[in-house]
Amino acid sequence: MMEALTPASADGLPPLGELVADVPFWRYPSGAAAGEGVAHLRVWTTATVPQGHLAAVTETGAAAGVTESAGRIWAELARRYGPSLVLLEHQPAAEDREGAETLDVVRIAADGSARWTRVWPTPEDNPRHAGLELWMAAHGHQIVSKPASWSGRCEDQEG
């Protein structure tokens, strides 16, 4: 279960570089009985020195949830893209689900547990709001807007 979210700091979010992966039906290791889940994965290089990667995993509504598998997802992506990885969990708004669209940074603690910090939306009265709004305007729109490969919520299908 996710704990109460503290808004992230824009200082911890890198500027995006080139999109290097866009996989609409990415299979990830899951702790669920199914053994794997399906999400939309996009990975960008970061415009930082040294260069790293920012990965956004978007919930698609398939059987296993991204939230429950965050630690496994981070480990899988860090093996492929290196430890200089920022992982974002994107939950799109859906008519059949309560709540709004959200974007959270997932940090993995030394013990392997996941911690979430809210990137968007954040309350206007939060001291980090202005910086996060600037980051969203410059980079975050690429994550929350629907890319050409987006097909909406999907059923778990062989891929």
Side-chain angles (χ1 to χ4, degrees):
M1 182 71 187
M2 282 182 30
E3 59 196 49
L5 294 176
T6 302
S9 167
D11 297 339
L13 297 169
L16 299 183
E18 178 184 352
L19 181 67
V20 295
D22 186 354
V23 185
F25 302 104
W26 179 66
R27 295 186 179 280
Y28 59 86
S30 170
E36 67 180 16
V38 178
H40 185 177
L41 171 69
R42 288 169 290 157
V43 181
W44 290 264
T45 58
T46 59
T48 57
V49 177
Q51 187 178 63
H53 291 86
L54 182 140
V57 179
T58 301
E59 185 73 52
T60 62
V66 169
T67 300
E68 294 80 15
S69 303
R72 287 184 168 97
I73 289 170
W74 189 91
E76 175 79 16
L77 293 173
R79 274 192 291 281
R80 179 167 182 153
Y81 296 103
S84 184
L85 174 77
V86 174
L87 176 60
L88 298 178
E89 180 179 348
H90 176 226
Q91 294 283 340
E95 296 94 33
D96 64 340
R97 200 170 61 193
E98 283 190 35
E101 181 173 33
T102 60
L103 188 62
D104 301 309
V105 174
V106 181
R107 299 190 197 290
I108 306 302
D111 67 359
S113 64
R115 304 281 187 265
W116 289 261
T117 50
R118 177 66 31 97
V119 172
W120 180 79
T122 57
E124 288 184 30
D125 63 350
N126 187 286
R128 297 175 178 168
H129 176 79
L132 290 169
E133 285 291 309
L134 287 172
W135 187 85
M136 285 298 295
H139 307 288
H141 67 279
Q142 295 177 62
I143 297 164
V144 298
S145 64
K146 307 286 187 265
S149 63
W150 179 262
S151 62
R153 298 168 65 82
C154 70
E155 296 299 317
D156 188 14
Q157 48 187 281
E158 293 300 316

